[in-house]
């Protein structure tokens, strides 16, 4: 009986898909032929005509009339209602272009970082390690423009700023991390950052940081949970058509006019913009091969014993550095993990393990709203932004701090489509690199845990290099 219900359900689903796409049902003895992948010629006029003739014969034999497939014409088709996709759609619509956004799921609240700053969420030392000085400085200037654009967008969307300023704590190497960051900023020609003493950090953050820190006053943190919903509302008000729960069935991106076939019909556009990797690897496998997982955990701790006065966001330097900020008596904390953590209790344990490095008082504290977040980025930890072929653009892999990069994607792709600006070529040296599939995932997870062990050893070594306190020196002398 279960097998019969399952077969009936499968038949009903196939008939529903047939009705949507305007295709006639395929007889059982021709299923193998129907399952063959369609070539690009299927989108041509002659091939489409022959397909319709064959469908008509099948309909006549089945006693049904074929339904014509709907087609929707637009200037730009954006795949993915991500922050970058919605911002790009709004930018293009305000410039007079007709835009359609395809989203496989639904648009919901945003649970990632609301930090807006230049540098793609990377330190100057990490950027210098990613490429040559001139190439890095060129994209850094673009990221600074993207951060300014993101702040303007937040003002337009009426998104409030939680705090201003960024404190850079040294990583496992202690004082050497601060010296490397200062040297990298000097190499790139960036402004020198203010130095904070250990006394300042203890008074303002109740934080024991014996090496001090650096202060950048430009970054801002926003309450970004409602950003996707407000962006979608603004885009719809600008006549952008957003099609949620729309799965892509096939594409033809080779011609001047691009074709995207969905479960609701066919989209014809002059440009296609890819801003998500969800479901895209089926027709753009080079995207899936170029992205790596960048998971982290996030949550909060309520503490009545820790008295912190500063509201700046704190970032720990290094590849496995944490990020946190104080909002009154609540500590909002984010830390990277080796893999995506789905369960709340496991996320709370990982969060507490990272937080107690900075605040030992939280060793037994309970984490509020602890959850894992899955993001993706490229191997060089920079966003992938460029053109795959004429009329096919991509802006993906924005990582854990996507607000600034989403505005940058909107500006770069919008300028390239509307004004034929070629500034997007500056990202060519940082294009897609292969991530090596499951082998790469295994290697990166092993490297993460090996790095955790190495970081602990480096912290202990850095602390041993600290000069002894006067009281300890007197005691040793006595």
């Amino acid at each position: 009986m279960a097998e019969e219900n399952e077969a009936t359900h499968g038949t009903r689903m196939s008939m529903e898909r047939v009705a949507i796409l305007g295709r006639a049902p395929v007889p059982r003895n021709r299923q193998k032929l129907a399952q063959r992948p369609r070539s690009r010629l299927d989108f041509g006029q002659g091939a489409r005509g022959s397909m319709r003739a064959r469908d008509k014969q099948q309909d006549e034999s089945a006693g049904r009339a074929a339904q014509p497939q709907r087609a929707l014409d637009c200037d730009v088709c954006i795949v993915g209602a991500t922050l970058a996709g919605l911002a790009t759609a709004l930018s293009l619509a305000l410039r007079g272009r007709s835009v359609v956004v395809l989203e496989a799921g639904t648009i919901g609240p945003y649970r990632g970082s609301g930090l807006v700053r230049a540098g793609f969420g990377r330190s100057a030392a990490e950027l210098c390690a990613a490429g040559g000085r001139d190439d890095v400085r060129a994209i850094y200037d673009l990221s600074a423009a993207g951060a300014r654009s993101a702040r303007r967008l937040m003002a337009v969307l009426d998104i409030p700023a939680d705090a201003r300023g960024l404190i850079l704590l040294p990583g496992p190497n202690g004082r050497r991390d601060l010296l490397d960051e200062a040297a990298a900023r000097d190499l790139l020609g960036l402004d020198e950052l203010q130095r904070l003493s250990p006394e300042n950090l203890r008074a303002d953050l109740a934080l024991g940081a014996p090496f001090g820190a650096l202060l950048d006053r430009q970054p801002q943190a926003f309450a970004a949970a409602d950003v996707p919903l407000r962006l979608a509302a603004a885009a719809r008000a600008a006549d952008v058509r957003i099609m949620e729960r729309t799965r892509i069935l096939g594409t033809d991106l080779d011609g001047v006019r691009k074709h995207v076939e969905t479960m609701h019909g066919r989209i014809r556009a002059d440009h296609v913009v890819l801003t998500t990797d969800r479901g895209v690897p089926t027709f753009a496998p080079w995207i899936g091969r170029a992205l790596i997982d960048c998971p982290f955990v996030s949550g909060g701790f309520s503490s009545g014993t820790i008295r912190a006065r500063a509201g700046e966001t704190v970032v720990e330097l290094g590849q496995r550095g944490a990020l946190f900020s104080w909002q009154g008596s609540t500590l909002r904390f984010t830390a990277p993990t080796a893999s995506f953590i789905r369960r709340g209790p496991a996320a709370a344990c990982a969060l507490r393990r990272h937080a107690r490095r900075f605040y030992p008082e939280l060793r037994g504290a309970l984490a509020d709203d602890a959850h894992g977040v899955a993001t993706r980025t490229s191997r060089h930890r920079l966003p992938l932004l460029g053109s795959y072929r004429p009329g096919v653009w991509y802006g993906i892999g924005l990582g854990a701090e996507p607000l600034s990069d989403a505005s940058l994607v909107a500006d770069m792709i919008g300028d390239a489509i509307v004004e034929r600006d070629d500034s997007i070529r500056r990202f060519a040296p940082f294009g897609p690199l292969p991530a090596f599939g499951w082998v790469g995932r295994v290697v990166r997870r092993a490297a993460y845990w090996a790095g955790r062990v190495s970081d602990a050893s480096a912290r202990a070594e850095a602390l041993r290099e600290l000069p002894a306190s006067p009281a300890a020196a007197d005691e040793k002398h006595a």
Side-chain angles (χ1 to χ4, degrees):
M1 185 68 180
E3 294 179 356
E4 181 179 351
N5 291 337
E6 185 175 351
T8 305
H9 176 71
T11 304
R12 189 190 313 106
M13 292 297 294
S14 62
M15 292 302 296
E16 290 178 356
R17 181 173 176 181
V18 165
I20 292 174
L21 295 179
R23 297 279 190 263
V26 181
R28 290 183 178 273
N29 59 356
R30 299 186 60 186
Q31 284 184 354
K32 292 185 178 180
L33 179 62
Q35 291 174 356
R36 290 173 51 190
R38 291 180 297 169
S39 66
R40 290 179 296 181
L41 294 177
D42 288 348
F43 294 99
Q45 296 292 333
R48 184 163 64 244
S50 61
M51 289 171 58
R52 287 178 176 172
R54 185 167 56 253
D55 291 343
K56 185 176 181 180
Q57 292 178 356
Q58 293 174 352
D59 288 336
E60 290 175 353
S61 63
R64 300 182 181 182
Q67 299 178 0
Q69 182 178 352
R70 294 179 298 171
L72 179 63
D73 292 323
C74 62
D75 295 326
V76 183
C77 176
I78 297 177
V79 180
T82 59
L83 291 176
L86 294 173
T88 304
L90 179 60
S91 175
L92 289 169
L94 294 178
R95 298 183 183 193
R97 298 300 188 270
S98 58
V99 183
V100 173
V101 178
L102 304 179
E103 171 56 41
T106 58
I107 301 173
Y110 170 67
R111 305 194 72 181
S113 172
L115 188 61
V116 172
R117 58 166 167 161
F120 310 103
R122 317 302 299 171
S123 67
E126 290 172 325
L127 289 176
C128 287
R133 187 263 179 197
D134 293 338
D135 292 334
V136 169
R137 180 55 200 258
I139 64 170
Y140 182 90
D141 291 339
L142 293 176
S143 73
R148 292 191 295 269
S149 178
R151 286 191 286 268
R152 292 193 296 268
L153 180 61
M154 295 300 105
V156 171
L157 297 178
D158 196 23
I159 302 294
D162 287 339
R164 187 182 187 94
L166 181 71
I167 296 176
L168 298 176
L169 284 179
N173 296 312
R175 183 178 290 106
R176 189 170 64 185
D177 286 335
L178 297 180
L179 295 176
D180 290 345
E181 180 66 12
R185 293 185 67 88
D186 182 66
L187 176 64
L188 295 177
L190 305 179
D191 294 337
E192 185 177 355
L193 300 182
Q194 178 183 343
R195 181 69 183 270
L196 297 178
S197 67
E199 292 74 19
N200 296 138
L201 296 173
R202 190 174 298 108
D204 295 338
L205 291 170
L207 187 65
F211 302 101
L214 300 175
L215 174 62
D216 186 354
R217 299 186 180 277
Q218 295 300 320
Q220 286 182 276
F222 293 86
D226 292 336
V227 169
L229 301 176
R230 297 192 186 187
L231 262 179
R236 288 189 173 101
D239 294 331
V240 174
R241 181 167 182 177
I242 301 176
M243 302 172 64
E244 300 180 66
R245 295 189 178 93
T246 300
R247 186 164 54 90
I248 295 177
L249 304 179
T251 60
D252 177 20
L253 307 179
D254 293 338
V256 175
R257 192 75 167 162
K258 319 299 179 187
H259 297 80
V260 179
E261 192 162 352
T262 73
M263 55 191 298
H264 299 304
R266 178 174 298 168
I267 311 294
R268 293 193 294 254
D270 295 327
H271 300 270
V272 172
V273 182
L274 308 178
T275 60
T276 181
D277 61 300
R278 183 179 180 181
V280 172
T282 56
F283 60 87
W286 51 273
I287 289 182
R289 292 195 296 262
L291 294 175
I292 64 174
D293 296 329
C294 184
F296 58 93
V297 290
S298 183
F301 297 92
S302 298
S303 175
T305 59
I306 303 175
R307 303 297 180 184
R309 298 180 301 180
E312 293 90 349
T313 302
V314 182
V315 173
E316 182 187 18
L317 296 174
Q319 293 184 358
R320 288 162 291 277
L323 180 149
F324 59 91
S325 64
W326 282 97
Q327 300 173 2
S329 61
T330 301
L331 173 67
R332 302 300 305 176
F333 203 93
T334 299
T337 56
S339 58
F340 174 58
I341 300 178
R342 298 180 181 276
R343 299 177 58 188
C349 291
L351 203 64
R352 185 167 55 248
R353 184 175 63 247
H354 285 278
R356 70 189 184 192
R357 287 198 296 111
F358 302 92
Y359 297 100
E361 302 91 334
L362 300 176
R363 182 178 300 273
L366 296 178
D368 300 327
D369 189 30
H371 59 276
V373 180
T375 62
R376 306 194 77 186
T377 186
S378 63
R379 275 178 52 194
H380 40 58
R381 305 285 176 170
L382 297 174
L384 297 178
L385 179 56
S387 175
Y388 182 64
R389 60 181 55 167
V392 180
W393 311 88
Y394 58 89
I396 55 175
L398 306 190
E401 298 178 15
L403 287 184
S404 300
D405 296 345
S407 293
L408 175 63
V409 169
D411 293 343
M412 291 289 97
I413 294 181
D415 290 344
I417 292 177
V418 177
E419 303 176 8
R420 299 184 181 275
D421 185 87
D422 62 350
S423 297
I424 200 171
R425 294 180 179 272
R426 297 181 184 177
F427 282 87
F430 309 97
L433 298 175
F436 302 111
W438 68 269
V439 176
R441 287 193 294 271
V442 172
V443 171
R444 284 187 292 273
R445 290 183 183 181
Y448 173 87
W449 291 112
R452 286 281 301 274
V453 175
S454 175
D455 289 349
S457 176
R459 288 190 186 94
E461 182 66 24
L463 290 175
R464 283 194 293 268
E465 295 176 358
L466 280 173
S469 63
D474 293 340
E475 182 180 351
K476 181 178 180 181
H477 181 71

